[in-house]
Amino acid sequence: MKRKSPLTTHSIFLVLMLVIAGTNANRALFEAKIQGKLTSFCASYNYDSSALPNKMPSTATQLVYSIPSDGCTIDNKNNYTGSFVLINRGNCSFYEKAIIAQNLGAFGVIIINNSSDIFPPQGNETEFSNINIPVAMLSNGDAKTLRELNINQGILYAPVTGMMDPNIFVTLIIATSLVVLGSIWANTDASGPVNDESSDVTPVLEINMKVAILYVLGACVMLVVLYFLYDFLVYIIIGIFCLGSASGIYTIMITYLGHKFPSGTKKKIKYVGTLSVKSAIFTVISLIIPLIWFCIRHNFYSFILQDFLGIVIILLVMQTVRLTNIKISAIMLVLFFFYDIFFVFITPLFTKNGESIMVKVATGGSGSHETIPLTLMVPRFSDPYSVCGASFSILGYGDIVLPGLLVSFCLYFDKRMNTWQKKSYFVIVSSAYFFGLVSTYIGLISLKMAQPALLYLVPFTLGSVLFFGWKRNELRYLWYGPDYKPTYIDSSNDEFLIHSSES
């Protein structure tokens, strides 16, 4: 396998994979009687304001419309006492709208968005600590329906989703299996005889310190650009996703099936080069599958094909990208640890509408019907928020690939240092990844807000490897790589001498 510079197409795709972290929106239900039937509307609310009841209240609350409609100025003639106030978005902050309505006796505030999407009406956390009424958001279409039908009462609440939905276990199994299988594949040569077409399809990209830092900076820039230009860039990323998955399918087919079929006649094609009949057939198959996904991507069941393509991409990246020591992995994981914290929890303090940049990009931008397909999606088996559309547990590719590269290195280290049977770092870090994901879901359920997975995965995976390396006096070999040669040898340290000779 050839070794190439990391700054290639695979690296560009890796940067895109690292942009998105798994998140979850703050949802609620607004219910009103329409023609004698209780009808549900999807809402999103701010947990920093007063909490909503988990069970449906027995009595409805009066609805009034703000005067002026943007709710940015105080009109003492308004009587909002005990009512939900519907206020149009814009012209002032969510906090200003909420504090004015609260001072006028409102029971709660419902922001009417200016588009079809919804998100938690957020702002400065310190300011919102002064708000003791619920603050939620409805889409402009739902609010228009309420107004046209003269609905003057409603109920707002946030039912608790089942804590142990089976999709959590499915997500855990898929993610952990990908990390384990991707690591094994990356450390195993392809089976079958090597042929002209399969010998050069999987170049190995070794990441050095400089490139690791560039990946982080690239992910930061890409996420911010996506936040502002989402409606345009989302189509470019969808195109890259299709091409990347096609490349992955072709690589797997030519590597593991190529030797089973004759190459056939080779022809020289302009702008393409020499292409055999076998390669042409594999190429067509590789392109057809992503094309089918592209055509049905708005269908509920498209998640099955999207997850398949995502799995192919993840395995391809783990097979082609390599770490040579723990030092590079540690720097990447720690930097992305703070990357997730900043873009999920800190950016709402700076954005105009108090939005989390990560949550906004991961859940589809402002009013766009397209989502970035760089997440594994597993639908919930039972969900009270079905009116909000299909509900999925999502896990960003980066939450699999970043720890997966560490797991892959640990397997490589075990083989090089003969620590496979007695002290397998591969088993330790694979188990730590599983329990890190479990902790992520526990945090998501208990805190009821978006949880970046790396917030839990980095301490579990990196922490476990460093701890056991330190306990076993092998940390220097993990840190610098198994080829590390010490300049000083203490003859009293037998274990040290054994490893030195093995390396």
Side-chain angles (χ1 to χ4, degrees):
M1 292 184 291
K2 288 187 176 182
R3 299 188 184 276
K4 295 185 177 181
S5 166
L7 298 176
T8 63
T9 304
H10 290 86
S11 292
I12 295 172
F13 203 91
L14 180 58
V15 170
L16 291 177
M17 293 172 70
L18 300 176
V19 166
I20 304 298
T23 57
N24 189 41
N26 304 334
R27 297 177 300 173
L29 293 179
F30 180 82
E31 299 196 346
K33 274 192 175 182
I34 298 178
Q35 297 178 348
K37 182 181 178 181
L38 201 60
T39 303
S40 298
F41 299 90
C42 186
S44 187
Y45 80 103
N46 185 349
Y47 282 114
D48 292 330
S49 61
S50 178
L52 291 174
N54 298 132
K55 295 182 179 180
M56 182 190 299
S58 57
T59 57
T61 303
Q62 188 76 18
L63 300 181
V64 298
Y65 290 87
S66 172
I67 301 175
S69 61
D70 61 14
C72 293
T73 56
I74 298 176
D75 187 341
N76 292 322
K77 296 179 181 179
N78 294 332
N79 182 13
Y80 296 158
T81 304
S83 303
F84 277 122
V85 186
L86 283 82
I87 305 175
N88 288 341
R89 179 183 175 184
N91 297 333
C92 63
S93 69
F94 294 133
Y95 168 76
E96 292 174 288
K97 297 175 189 290
I99 196 68
I100 289 174
Q102 177 176 283
N103 291 338
L104 294 174
F107 179 79
V109 168
I110 298 177
I111 304 295
I112 301 173
N113 199 13
N114 50 19
S115 63
S116 60
D117 71 324
I118 56 174
F119 57 88
Q122 296 175 325
N124 185 286
E125 186 175 344
T126 303
E127 288 183 339
F128 263 89
S129 63
N130 299 320
I131 304 298
N132 51 34
I133 59 174
V135 181
M137 177 180 286
L138 286 175
S139 69
N140 57 354
D142 289 343
K144 182 180 179 181
T145 299
L146 295 175
R147 189 154 203 166
E148 288 178 346
L149 295 176
N150 295 317
I151 304 301
N152 56 15
Q153 286 187 327
I155 295 170
L156 184 66
Y157 69 111
V160 178
T161 56
M163 294 184 64
M164 300 303 292
D165 191 278
N167 80 329
I168 292 179
F169 299 102
V170 175
T171 306
L172 288 172
I173 292 171
I174 292 176
T176 306
S177 298
L178 281 175
V179 165
V180 172
L181 294 176
S183 300
I184 293 173
W185 185 32
N187 286 276
T188 304
D189 292 332
S191 59
V194 177
N195 56 72
D196 293 339
E197 293 164 291
S198 65
S199 60
D200 196 37
V201 295
T202 55
V204 174
L205 313 175
E206 290 188 352
I207 300 177
N208 57 38
M209 192 66 64
K210 179 181 178 181
V211 174
I213 295 174
L214 286 176
Y215 280 154
V216 180
L217 294 176
C220 292
V221 172
M222 178 59 67
L223 187 60
V224 173
V225 172
L226 274 170
Y227 178 73
F228 290 104
L229 301 175
Y230 184 93
D231 292 344
F232 169 72
L233 291 179
V234 64
Y235 293 102
I236 295 178
I237 294 179
I238 287 174
I240 295 174
F241 173 78
C242 291
L243 292 176
S245 58
S247 174
I249 294 171
Y250 179 85
T251 298
I252 292 173
M253 292 178 66
I254 203 71
T255 302
Y256 291 98
L257 299 177
H259 63 280
K260 297 181 181 296
F261 301 94
S263 296
T265 305
K266 293 185 178 181
K267 292 186 177 181
K268 192 171 184 180
I269 302 175
K270 193 175 182 181
Y271 305 119
V272 175
T274 303
L275 193 67
S276 69
V277 173
K278 177 177 66 180
S279 295
I281 294 173
F282 285 173
T283 299
V284 171
I285 294 173
S286 301
L287 290 172
I288 286 177
I289 298 176
L291 183 60
I292 293 174
W293 169 83
F294 179 82
C295 294
I296 67 168
R297 67 189 185 280
H298 295 142
N299 184 284
F300 169 77
Y301 292 102
S302 67
F303 81 89
I304 299 173
L305 201 52
Q306 178 176 319
D307 285 352
F308 168 75
L309 298 176
I311 288 170
V312 169
I313 291 170
I314 290 169
L315 292 176
L316 177 66
V317 171
M318 288 189 63
Q319 204 270 342
T320 56
V321 178
R322 304 290 170 84
L323 298 176
T324 56
N325 54 58
I326 289 291
K327 178 172 66 175
I328 295 174
S329 177
I331 292 199
M332 283 189 70
L333 285 170
V334 170
L335 287 176
F336 275 107
F337 173 83
F338 289 107
Y339 163 92
D340 270 10
I341 291 176
F342 177 79
F343 282 106
V344 173
F345 298 120
I346 307 299
T347 52
L349 303 178
F350 304 105
T351 54
K352 182 178 180 181
N353 297 313
E355 303 168 332
S356 163
I357 289 181
M358 178 72 77
V359 173
K360 192 66 175 176
V361 172
T363 54
S366 299
S368 175
H369 295 292
E370 303 288 353
T371 56
I372 295 176
L374 299 181
T375 56
L376 287 180
M377 304 173 64
V378 181
R380 293 186 63 88
F381 289 76
S382 60
D383 184 20
Y385 295 98
S386 57
V387 67
C388 298
S391 178
F392 294 86
S393 287
I394 64 173
L395 189 64
Y397 292 172
D399 298 328
I400 300 173
V401 170
L402 270 176
L405 293 177
L406 174 61
V407 176
S408 180
F409 170 78
C410 287
L411 179 55
Y412 167 73
F413 184 87
D414 283 334
K415 290 185 173 182
R416 287 292 307 275
M417 302 296 287
N418 293 328
T419 56
W420 173 257
Q421 294 181 345
K422 294 183 179 180
K423 334 181 250 192
S424 173
Y425 287 98
F426 172 67
V427 173
I428 290 171
V429 74
S430 297
S431 302
Y433 178 81
F434 175 82
F435 288 111
L437 273 184
V438 171
S439 299
T440 302
Y441 282 106
I442 292 174
L444 181 65
I445 293 168
S446 59
L447 297 178
K448 298 181 180 179
M449 63 183 300
Q451 296 296 302
L454 290 181
L455 183 64
Y456 301 87
L457 292 174
V458 171
F460 270 84
T461 55
L462 183 61
S464 64
V465 174
L466 295 179
F467 174 76
F468 281 99
W470 170 72
K471 288 287 288 183
R472 297 168 176 177
N473 198 28
E474 295 171 340
L475 186 55
R476 71 191 77 183
Y477 296 101
L478 288 166
W479 190 254
Y480 295 107
D483 294 326
Y484 168 70
K485 299 290 185 181
T487 56
Y488 172 78
I489 297 179
D490 182 358
S491 60
S492 65
N493 190 335
D494 295 335
E495 184 179 31
F496 187 93
L497 288 173
I498 290 173
H499 289 320
S500 180
S501 62
E502 288 173 349
S503 63

